[in-house]
């Protein structure tokens, strides 16, 4: 059931009020100046959460598998990909936090209202399917961690599912955020594992800043792993989660600068974790018979134990368990937020379960189904689902980023907060690269024998075509000037959706959206067919 009265553009009255963070409260309407470091740090403490949670949630079970696979199979040769992804992470997440603060409307609902029913339905359906598969991989990670730790499978997974559901169902946003930030803190268990394994720092520093491919490796395998690193680091669910979570936390443009600081803290933590995993896995397996023979994250824990002792294996398994729980929680929440947004259901962690039944039923349902599949599904089925989520994530990622860029250039939506020209140029280049990687991944799925040289040819040719397109079209960003007196921009928020004028979509944008629609429908259909064919 939807609410009938809202404040501004907010779709749920619970999205308006005091900011009730894990470490402090900011009263609704507080416009006082923050003078001195003490006042600013207290404000940051109250705001911190959305950026940190979404970034640490990104280092989930899938990321553990991808980063440790890179380390075990290729050492630290692919470490450089992590630094290259930092600006992509920041730009994408900064745009969604800006949308959240200014519009008070979730990502899925904005796509529906501004680009029509097809894209609105497509964004929710693909998010639902992809997130559902992703949650299954989180419970596979929980299962692997519990197996190494010697915890009974059924009891352990049931307890984990219960914790994930209970943490979000208390009717207190603050309690959920404290739970999530506690998990973020425990993700730092990867740091002592790094210290215990003590990988060579000189080699690590070299590979972090100097791009290269592993010598003697199969180029096609390396290319697909690089695409997997991109896909696990820049995932569609992150966009939907952070925008909705910022809204639910009631953060307004007045405190956007603190939310950007929160995002940077999250990015630093996620990069530290990714670098640590790739580095200590490389050091633990180098020179052993299992180097180049990655199987799963549970076997990595055993390898760490053999190299650095039982404590290292236990801490890695606990970090995997922690990452899988926060990943399952965040991904389930992003789905429930999106469904609530589009269907105009009450969808807020400030509400009790009895006051937002649809929202909490969706959240809990996803968790229960994923846990049941891992408990009772065959190994072949789970392996198939894991491969499906990696492939679909790569195929669908460009569409999410395309609409993010279009929304951030919609003056009716963001007013004085729209993108500037250089941000549009950078984001456009990122989108084009994601499209090329998506095409390569789709082709490699359909034609497993595709060579690495052919992949590089697609990447090089597509990059050249994209560069030529930028030179010819010279995209211009909307003016980012602030109307009225200085300082008014922090007070500007999007009016209610029903009062907005229709979006100004150019003919070229309509053409590209049509091309994107055809590509996504064909690519997803072919990938799904390939998955069922493998069953």
């Amino acid at each position: 059931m939807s609410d009938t009265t809202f404040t501004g553009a907010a779709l749920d009255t619970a999205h308006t009020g005091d900011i009730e963070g894990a470490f402090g409260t900011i009263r609704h309407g507080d416009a006082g100046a923050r003078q001195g470091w003490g006042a600013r740090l207290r404000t940051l403490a109250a705001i911190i959460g959305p950026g940190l949670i979404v970034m640490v949630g990104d280092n989930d079970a899938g990321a553990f598998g991808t980063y440790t696979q890179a380390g075990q199979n290729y050492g630290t040769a692919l470490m450089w990909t992590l630094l290259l992804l930092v600006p992509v992470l920041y730009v994408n997440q900064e745009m969604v936090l800006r949308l959240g603060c200014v519009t008070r409307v979730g990502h899925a609902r904005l796509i529906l209202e501004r680009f029509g029913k097809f894209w609105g339905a497509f964004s929710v359906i693909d998010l639902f399917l992809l997130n559902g598969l992703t949650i299954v991989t989180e419970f596979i990670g929980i299962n692997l961690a519990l197996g190494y730790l010697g915890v009974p499978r059924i009891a352990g997974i049931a307890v984990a599912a219960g914790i994930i559901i209970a943490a979000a169902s208390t009717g207190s946003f603050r309690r959920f955020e404290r739970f999530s930030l506690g998990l973020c803190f425990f993700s730092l268990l990867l740091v002592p594992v790094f210290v215990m394994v003590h990988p060579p720092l000189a080699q690590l520093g070299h590979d972090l800043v100097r791009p290269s491919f592993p010598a003697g490796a199969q180029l096609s395998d390396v290319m697909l792993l690089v695409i997997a690193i991109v896909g696990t680091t820049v995932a569609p669910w992150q966009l939907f989660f952070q925008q909705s979570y910022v809204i639910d936390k009631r953060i307004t443009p007045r405190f956007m600068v603190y939310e950007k600081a929160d995002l940077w803290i999250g990015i630093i933590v996620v990069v530290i974790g990714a670098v640590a995993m790739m580095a200590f896995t490389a050091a633990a397996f180098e020179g052993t018979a299992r180097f180049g023979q990655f199987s799963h994250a549970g076997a990595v824990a055993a390898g760490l134990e053999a190299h650095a002792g039982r404590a290292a294996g236990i801490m890695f398994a606990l970090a995997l368990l922690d990452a899988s729980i926060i990943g399952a929680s965040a991904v389930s929440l992003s789905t429930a937020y999106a469904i609530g947004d589009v269907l105009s259901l009450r969808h807020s962690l400030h509400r009790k379960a009895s006051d937002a039944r649809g929202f909490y039923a969706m959240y809990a349902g996803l968790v229960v189904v994923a846990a049941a599949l891992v408990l009772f599904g065959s190994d072949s089925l789970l392996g198939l689902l894991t491969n499906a989520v990696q492939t679909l994530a790569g195929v669908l990622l460009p569409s999410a980023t395309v609409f993010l860029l279009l929304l951030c250039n919609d003056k009716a939506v963001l007013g004085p907060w729209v993108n500037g020209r250089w941000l549009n140029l950078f984001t456009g280049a990122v989108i084009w690269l994601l499209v090329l990687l998506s095409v390569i991944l789709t082709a490699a799925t359909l034609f497993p024998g595709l060579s690495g040289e052919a992949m590089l040819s697609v990447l090089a040719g597509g990059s050249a075509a994209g560069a030529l397109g930028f030179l010819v079209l010279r995209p211009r960003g909307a003016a980012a000037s602030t109307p009225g007196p200085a300082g008014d921009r922090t007070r500007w928020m999007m009016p209610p959706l029903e009062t907005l004028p229709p979006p100004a979509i150019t003919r070229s944008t309509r053409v590209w959206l049509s091309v994107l629609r055809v590509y996504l429908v064909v690519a997803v259909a072919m990938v799904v067919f390939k998955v069922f064919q493998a069953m």
Side-chain angles (χ1 to χ4, degrees):
M1 182 178 179
S2 62
D3 283 327
T4 57
T5 58
F6 306 107
T7 301
L11 299 177
D12 190 321
T13 53
H15 295 161
T16 302
D18 296 343
I19 297 174
E20 298 175 355
F23 306 121
T25 300
I26 299 175
R27 297 301 177 191
H28 181 53
D30 181 351
R34 266 56 182 177
Q35 297 180 347
W37 283 105
R40 292 168 187 160
L41 288 175
R42 286 192 296 273
T43 302
L44 177 61
I47 294 295
I48 197 168
L52 184 56
I53 293 169
V54 74
M55 287 292 97
V56 175
D58 183 47
N59 265 0
D60 60 356
F64 267 63
T66 302
Y67 298 142
T68 55
Q69 180 183 357
Q72 184 173 342
N73 287 357
Y74 304 114
T76 56
L78 297 178
M79 188 80 75
W80 53 273
T81 57
L82 301 176
L83 277 190
L84 284 183
L85 287 171
V86 168
V88 178
L89 275 174
Y90 177 76
V91 167
N92 276 1
Q93 296 305 132
E94 187 277 335
M95 285 193 288
V96 290
L97 77 84
R98 191 164 14 114
L99 281 169
C101 290
V102 175
T103 68
R104 321 299 299 149
V105 175
H107 204 63
R109 184 59 176 266
L110 283 178
I111 292 174
L112 172 67
E113 296 290 341
R114 304 304 285 170
F115 302 103
K117 293 181 179 179
F118 173 85
W119 286 116
F122 186 90
S123 68
V124 172
I125 292 170
D126 79 53
L127 183 75
F128 179 81
L129 294 176
L130 184 56
N131 283 5
L133 293 173
T134 302
I135 299 164
V136 172
T137 67
E138 307 298 359
F139 275 93
I140 292 174
I142 290 171
N143 184 45
L144 292 172
L146 294 175
Y148 177 81
L149 295 170
V151 177
R153 184 185 187 206
I154 295 178
I157 290 180
V159 169
I163 290 172
I164 293 168
I165 294 171
S169 305
T170 65
S172 169
F173 185 96
R174 174 170 287 159
R175 278 196 288 269
F176 174 81
E177 188 162 88
R178 285 176 174 170
F179 166 78
S180 298
L181 291 181
L183 294 177
C184 292
F185 175 77
F186 279 107
S187 72
L188 296 175
L189 280 170
L190 294 170
V191 175
V193 177
F194 178 90
V195 173
M196 295 172 74
V197 174
H198 50 81
L201 297 181
Q203 183 66 39
L204 189 157
H206 174 273
D207 291 340
L208 192 60
V209 298
R210 183 175 178 181
S212 65
F213 280 165
Q218 185 74 25
L219 183 57
S220 58
D221 293 339
V222 175
M223 285 290 295
L224 290 176
L225 184 56
V226 170
I227 294 173
I229 291 173
V230 174
T232 197
T233 308
V234 187
W237 70 264
Q238 297 171 299
L239 309 181
F240 291 83
F241 173 83
Q242 189 175 11
Q243 185 166 334
S244 292
Y245 195 83
V246 163
I247 294 167
D248 205 7
K249 189 163 183 178
R250 304 162 175 171
I251 299 174
T252 63
R254 168 77 174 80
F255 300 103
M256 193 184 297
V257 64
Y258 294 95
E259 180 48 37
K260 291 181 181 181
D262 169 42
L263 176 59
W264 272 117
I265 293 170
I267 290 173
I268 292 169
V269 172
V270 79
V271 171
I272 289 173
V275 168
M277 280 190 278
M278 202 178 291
F280 63 57
T281 307
F285 286 93
E286 188 174 7
T288 71
R290 286 180 289 177
F291 186 80
Q293 304 296 321
F294 176 82
S295 55
H296 54 73
V300 171
L304 289 168
E305 178 182 348
H307 179 82
R310 177 69 174 167
I314 289 175
M315 282 191 285
F316 177 80
L318 289 173
L320 173 59
L321 178 62
D322 174 270
S324 301
I325 289 175
I326 193 172
S329 176
V331 176
S332 300
L333 193 55
S334 75
T335 314
Y337 275 138
I339 298 295
D341 241 349
V342 170
L343 299 181
S344 296
L345 303 173
R346 293 183 177 124
H347 53 292
S348 172
L349 292 172
H350 293 281
R351 295 186 182 275
K352 294 181 178 180
S354 60
D355 195 31
R357 291 186 178 90
F359 172 68
Y360 286 108
M362 176 61 63
Y363 177 89
L366 287 166
V367 173
V368 169
V369 170
L373 281 172
V374 173
L375 278 176
F376 305 113
S378 64
D379 290 342
S380 59
L381 174 63
L382 296 178
L384 198 64
L385 292 177
T386 300
N387 291 333
V389 71
Q390 292 176 341
T391 304
L392 285 174
V395 170
L396 296 172
L397 181 58
S399 66
T401 315
V402 164
F403 287 109
L404 175 59
L405 180 60
L406 292 175
L407 287 170
C408 285
N409 281 278
D410 190 335
K411 288 186 178 181
V413 169
L414 280 184
W417 293 99
V418 291
N419 284 359
R421 180 181 303 178
W422 291 108
L423 182 56
N424 281 338
L425 285 170
F426 177 81
T427 309
V430 168
I431 290 173
W432 186 247
L433 177 61
L434 292 176
V435 168
L436 294 176
L437 294 179
S438 173
V439 170
I440 292 171
L441 181 59
T442 304
T445 302
L446 300 175
F447 309 104
L450 189 69
S451 68
E453 289 74 15
M455 295 180 188
L456 285 178
S457 298
V458 171
L459 192 59
S463 299
L468 181 61
F470 275 125
L471 290 174
V472 172
L473 297 176
R474 294 184 182 180
R476 296 181 179 181
S481 58
T482 304
D488 279 358
R489 193 164 75 142
T490 62
R491 301 176 185 176
W492 197 95
M493 298 177 71
M494 187 186 79
L497 281 170
E498 62 272 15
T499 68
L500 299 184
I505 303 178
T506 64
R507 181 179 299 177
S508 61
T509 299
R510 293 184 187 278
V511 170
W512 282 113
L513 287 178
S514 298
V515 172
L516 180 64
R517 177 187 301 192
V518 172
Y519 166 71
L520 289 173
V521 170
V522 173
V524 170
M526 294 177 75
V527 167
V528 170
F529 172 76
K530 196 73 174 180
V531 168
F532 277 105
Q533 192 179 47
M535 294 180 67

